[in-house]
């Protein structure tokens, strides 16, 4: 069902149903519907401030055309979520930028998106845009809200939100805010309407149920959780920055039945629950995206959420949902219905079952390309198959994901999946948080190095015991040559370990050898 139609129907039939909350402040469906016209009036007035001369200084992406782009960089996730929710009913494209991203990356993302309006509570971002002679309108959150209060009742009623056309873009997402040049891609309403149907059928998104999605809205998993919940008439509780103690308290005190999170959230929640001797007894579903979920993490979380079904899935923000698992270590994933998979070699030839290659997907939610102002590289080729350059194998009709190209190493002539080693290592006690990298070697080309994140208050794992266990579970060429201990890992905003930075820290001598 179209997102805006659902919001309007719930607002009409049950206006007091909570749409958005952070556990303290709540915004109802009635609030979203009744305030939409005021938001549109404020946006129109801000667009009216931009002169023709200033517009000529904005670089518009070909794929967006003349649709107004509004960039949002706000401290509190509820403020960002409200703007995304109300503007979705109009001919606008919104882009959420994490306030913790470096200033230069946020500025670069704004410029490359063709944004005309930036809503922020970060004065340093505003100063950087002014110093860079960016020609759009910068408005602080307080001033934005003051303008909302000045909109008349007549103006509010003049432009009600409407169900928009399938092919119209409404969200602009950036792949990265902390490394390399960020690449932007568009999500059309059709593509995420397709995804909402997947969520209804497989991921237990239901009307009137409370979903908890901790983490910044700039992360595509959290942003999609917002869309799927509002698209199905549910309620979503958001947390600006994941805090395990606060998150565990919310799961105990609030009627949360569904969790949407990245794998790194699970061990932190489990540890917080065990520390306070509590369980998440209301939770019936935990939907975990972003990576394969190890058996150790799954089991640990199931101990504190005994009635929850833990479903891990693999997908790409540029493509959509691809495959899922509810058992074991999540290594073999079941493809979602309605898509086709192909694994190919570097020349584009289809590989036989079991062979490692580049994964291609055909599904109704896939995007076309990254926007022209960020390079315009294709996501979907002329043959209709899409890829984000992940490596995988097809085994018995299931998908075995091996990571990105940089997650494959060659040591002693053997091609080795670093992700596969990590999945196995995570099942060894004391090694639940780990990262495998390579170091150059004169004879072997590269050798494998496992870096293990220390657990506060727990003894370090013994190298001999870890090595022996991996020797039982993996081929000899997959067993790391060296082991190191790290206090903590560099991570993305979504909690993924940054392998490249771990390797740099290792070379800098930041870790302790076991």
């Amino acid at each position: 069902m179209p997102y805006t139609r659902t919001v309007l129907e719930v607002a009409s039939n049950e206006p007091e149903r909570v749409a958005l909350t952070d556990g303290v402040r709540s915004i109802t469906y009635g609030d979203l519907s009744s305030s939409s016209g005021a938001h549109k009036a404020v946006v129109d007035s801000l667009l009216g401030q931009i002169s023709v001369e200033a517009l000529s200084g904005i670089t518009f992406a070909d794929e967006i055309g003349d649709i107004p782009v509004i960039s949002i960089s706000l401290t509190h996730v509820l403020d960002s979520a409200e703007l995304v929710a109300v503007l979705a009913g109009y001919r606008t494209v919104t882009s959420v930028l994490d306030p913790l991203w470096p200033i230069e990356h946020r500025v670069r993302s704004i410029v490359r998106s063709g944004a005309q309006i930036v809503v922020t509570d970060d004065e340093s971002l505003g100063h950087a845009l002014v110093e860079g002679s960016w020609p759009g309108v910068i408005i602080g959150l307080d001033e934005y809200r003051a303008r909302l209060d000045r909109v008349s009742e007549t103006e509010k009623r003049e432009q009600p939100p409407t169900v928009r056309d399938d092919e119209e873009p409404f969200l602009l997402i950036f792949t990265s805010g902390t490394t390399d040049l960020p690449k932007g891609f568009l999500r059309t309403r059709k593509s995420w309407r397709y995804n909402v149907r997947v969520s209804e059928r497989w991921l237990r998104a239901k009307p009137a149920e409370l979903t908890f999605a901790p983490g910044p809205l700039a992360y595509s998993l959290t942003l999609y959780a917002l869309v799927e919940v509002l698209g199905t008439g549910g309620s979503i509780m958001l947390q600006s920055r994941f805090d395990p103690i606060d998150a565990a308290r919310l799961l105990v005190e609030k009627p949360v039945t569904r969790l949407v999170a990245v794998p790194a959230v699970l061990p932190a929640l489990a540890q917080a629950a065990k520390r306070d001797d509590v369980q998440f007894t209301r939770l019936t579903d935990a939907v975990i995206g972003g990576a394969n979920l190890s058996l150790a993490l799954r089991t640990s979380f199931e101990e504190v959420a005994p009635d929850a079904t833990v479903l891990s899935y693999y997908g790409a923000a540029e493509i959509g949902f691809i495959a899922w698992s509810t058992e074991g270590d999540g290594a073999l994933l079941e493809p979602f219905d309605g898509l086709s998979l192909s694994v190919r070699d570097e020349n584009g030839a289809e590989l036989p079952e079991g062979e490692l290659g580049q994964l291609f997907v055909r599904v109704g939610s896939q995007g076309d390309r990254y926007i022209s102002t960020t390079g315009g590289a294709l996501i979907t080729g002329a043959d209709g198959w899409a890829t984000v350059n992940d490596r995988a194998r097809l085994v018995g009709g299931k998908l075995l994901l091996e990571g990105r190209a940089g997650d494959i190493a060659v040591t002693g002539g053997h091609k080795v999946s670093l992700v596969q080693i990590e999945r196995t290592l995570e099942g060894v006690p004391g090694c639940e948080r780990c990262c495998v990298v390579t170091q150059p070697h004169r004879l072997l080309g590269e050798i494998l190095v496992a870096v293990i994140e220390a657990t506060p208050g727990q003894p370090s794992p013994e190298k001999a015991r870890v090595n022996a266990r991996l020797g039982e579970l993996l081929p000899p060429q997959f067993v790391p040559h060296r082991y190191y201990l790290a206090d903590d890992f560099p991570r993305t905003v979504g909690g993924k370990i940054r392998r490249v930075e771990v390797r740099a820290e290792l070379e800098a001598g930041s870790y302790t050898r076991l």
Side-chain angles (χ1 to χ4, degrees):
M1 180 179 289
Y3 165 99
T4 303
R5 182 180 298 163
T6 305
V7 172
L8 295 177
E9 286 183 358
V10 176
S12 176
N13 299 324
E14 199 177 332
E16 295 307 311
R17 182 186 297 179
V18 171
L20 315 171
T21 183
D22 60 3
V24 178
R25 181 165 68 97
S26 295
I27 299 170
T28 67
Y29 278 87
D31 294 332
L32 292 179
S33 176
S34 63
S35 67
S36 292
H39 284 273
K40 182 61 166 61
V42 170
V43 167
D44 284 348
S45 69
L46 293 172
L47 291 172
Q49 293 178 208
I50 307 174
S51 67
V52 173
E53 182 182 5
L55 278 175
S56 67
I58 294 176
T59 303
F60 295 99
D62 297 336
E63 298 80 2
I64 300 175
D66 64 348
I67 301 176
V69 178
I70 297 96
S71 286
I72 303 164
S73 184
L74 296 169
T75 303
H76 298 294
V77 67
L78 201 63
D79 295 322
S80 298
E82 180 185 9
L83 286 176
V84 170
V86 295
L87 293 176
Y90 300 96
R91 186 175 179 270
T92 59
V93 169
T94 54
S95 174
V96 182
L97 309 178
D98 194 305
L100 293 188
W101 284 354
I103 289 288
E104 62 270 20
H105 284 282
R106 280 184 283 162
V107 169
R108 191 172 290 159
S109 298
I110 289 164
V111 171
R112 289 167 174 257
S113 71
Q116 289 108 297
I117 299 170
V118 171
V119 184
T120 185
D121 52 9
D122 183 351
E123 291 186 2
S124 60
L125 175 60
H127 292 323
L129 288 167
V130 171
E131 290 172 3
S133 300
W134 178 71
V137 174
I138 306 158
I139 185 166
L141 182 62
D142 290 341
E143 173 59 21
Y144 185 92
R145 297 224 173 270
R147 289 194 180 210
L148 282 178
D149 292 339
R150 294 197 294 267
V151 176
S152 70
E153 292 300 319
T154 301
E155 289 177 292
K156 290 178 185 179
R157 292 191 295 268
E158 283 177 348
Q159 298 190 80
T162 59
V163 177
R164 310 298 304 176
D165 182 75
D166 260 359
E167 300 302 329
E168 188 178 87
F170 79 116
L171 290 171
L172 173 59
I173 300 171
F174 284 93
T175 56
S176 171
T178 54
T179 61
D180 303 323
L181 290 175
K183 292 188 293 184
F185 59 94
L186 289 168
R187 296 309 329 212
T188 64
R189 296 167 194 276
K190 178 182 179 180
S191 68
W192 273 16
R193 285 168 184 165
Y194 181 99
N195 284 341
V196 168
R197 290 195 294 271
V198 175
S199 293
E200 287 178 309
R201 181 175 179 186
W202 296 98
L203 307 184
R204 312 284 183 89
K206 302 174 185 176
E209 291 202 14
L210 181 58
T211 292
F212 181 35
L217 204 61
Y219 188 51
S220 59
L221 181 131
T222 312
L223 182 60
Y224 176 67
L226 170 68
V227 173
E228 71 172 356
V229 168
L230 295 184
T232 53
S235 304
I236 187 165
M237 183 164 65
L238 299 160
Q239 189 181 43
S240 298
R241 195 64 46 185
F242 175 62
D243 179 289
I245 303 301
D246 187 48
R249 176 186 61 79
L250 291 171
L251 285 172
V252 171
E253 296 178 358
K254 305 295 181 181
V256 177
T257 56
R258 181 171 176 264
L259 172 70
V260 176
V262 294
V265 164
L266 293 193
L269 284 175
Q271 185 177 354
K274 290 172 182 176
R275 189 201 70 167
D276 294 337
D277 194 24
V278 298
Q279 288 193 323
F280 310 134
T281 55
R282 293 189 180 95
L283 206 61
T284 59
D285 297 284
V287 179
I288 310 302
N292 292 340
L293 185 65
S294 72
L295 179 61
L297 295 187
R298 184 188 298 274
T299 302
S300 175
F301 187 74
E302 287 173 341
E303 290 174 359
V304 299
D307 298 321
T309 298
V310 181
L311 184 149
S312 60
Y313 74 85
Y314 158 63
E318 300 97 318
I319 294 175
F321 297 113
I322 297 173
W324 59 276
S325 172
T326 56
E327 60 186 15
D329 65 359
L332 281 176
L333 299 159
E334 187 77 33
F336 285 103
D337 287 349
L339 56 73
S340 300
L341 301 177
S342 172
V343 175
R344 305 176 183 179
D345 65 17
E346 59 272 15
N347 298 315
E350 186 110 19
L351 290 170
E353 181 170 298
E355 290 290 321
L356 176 65
Q358 186 174 345
L359 179 65
F360 289 79
V361 183
R362 291 187 73 161
V363 65
S365 56
Q366 66 198 50
D368 292 328
R369 63 174 65 240
Y370 297 102
I371 60 173
S372 56
T373 49
T374 63
L378 289 176
I379 298 167
T380 298
D383 59 357
W385 289 87
T387 184
V388 289
N389 301 315
D390 282 342
R391 267 45 182 180
R393 309 173 197 265
L394 293 177
V395 181
K398 294 188 177 182
L399 181 68
L400 180 60
L401 188 68
E402 302 284 15
R404 295 286 171 98
D407 298 334
I408 306 296
V410 177
T411 175
H414 298 283
K415 188 179 289 186
V416 173
S417 166
L418 303 183
V419 172
Q420 184 178 348
I421 301 170
E422 288 166 352
R423 281 198 301 260
T424 306
L425 186 56
E426 286 169 353
V428 179
C431 305
E432 292 82 3
R433 296 181 298 278
C434 61
C435 180
V436 178
V437 298
T438 62
Q439 286 185 315
H441 189 272
R442 185 173 60 87
L443 297 177
L444 298 177
E446 291 180 311
I447 57 170
L448 303 172
V449 179
V451 185
I452 299 161
E453 190 174 60
T455 301
Q458 298 295 321
S460 302
E462 296 179 14
K463 174 187 173 181
R465 184 174 298 177
V466 174
N467 211 49
R469 182 58 178 155
L470 291 184
E472 297 171 1
L473 300 172
L474 292 170
Q477 65 268 25
F478 279 60
V479 177
H481 299 77
R482 298 172 185 166
Y483 296 84
Y484 287 80
L485 194 67
D487 290 334
D488 53 54
F489 284 133
R491 285 184 163 86
T492 68
V493 293
K496 293 182 183 179
I497 298 170
R498 294 190 177 280
R499 193 186 308 279
V500 172
E501 293 183 20
V502 170
R503 180 170 176 167
E505 290 289 331
L506 177 66
E507 295 300 325
S510 302
Y511 304 140
T512 303
R513 188 165 179 178
L514 295 179

